[in-house]
Amino acid sequence: MAKRKDARVTVILECTSCIRNSDKKVSTGISRYITQKNRHNTPSRLELRKFCPFCYKHTIHGEIKK
C-alpha cells in the first residue's frame, strides 16, 4: 500500500535579526526553534514572533530549509 503525504511537517524557525547582525566579527549565535505546521492550511513560509536569547527581545523568526 502506498503511503500518503502527511499534512503536518516539521519546520525550523530562525531569528531574522541575528542573521542580519552575523556579519560582525563577534557572533553570539543564532536562535532556532523547531515546530510543526499544517502544509495544507499554511502553504507559504511560516513567520512567528518568538524570544531570541541572543538579542534579549522578541523578534520575528522565519522558516528555513532543512
Side-chain angles (χ1 to χ4, degrees), residues 8-32:
R8 287 229 161 255
V9 291
T10 303
V11 294
I12 300 172
L13 303 176
E14 189 173 78
C15 181
T16 55
S17 64
C18 286
I19 294 170
R20 280 187 246 131
N21 297 335
S22 66
D23 6 332
K24 295 179 185 173
K25 297 195 182 205
V26 180
S27 177
T28 56
I30 296 176
S31 172
R32 289 195 173 132

Side-chain angles (χ1 to χ4, degrees), residues 26-66:
V26 180
S27 177
T28 56
I30 296 176
S31 172
R32 289 195 173 132
Y33 285 92
I34 297 175
T35 187
Q36 290 184 342
K37 77 170 187 176
N38 190 320
R39 188 183 310 169
H40 300 298
N41 294 340
T42 318
S44 59
R45 291 193 177 253
L46 190 62
E47 286 189 344
L48 296 174
R49 277 182 55 103
K50 304 287 269 180
F51 181 77
C52 178
F54 301 105
C55 300
Y56 297 108
K57 59 184 176 182
H58 284 84
T59 59
I60 294 180
H61 285 64
E63 181 181 336
I64 62 169
K65 282 192 169 184
K66 291 182 188 178

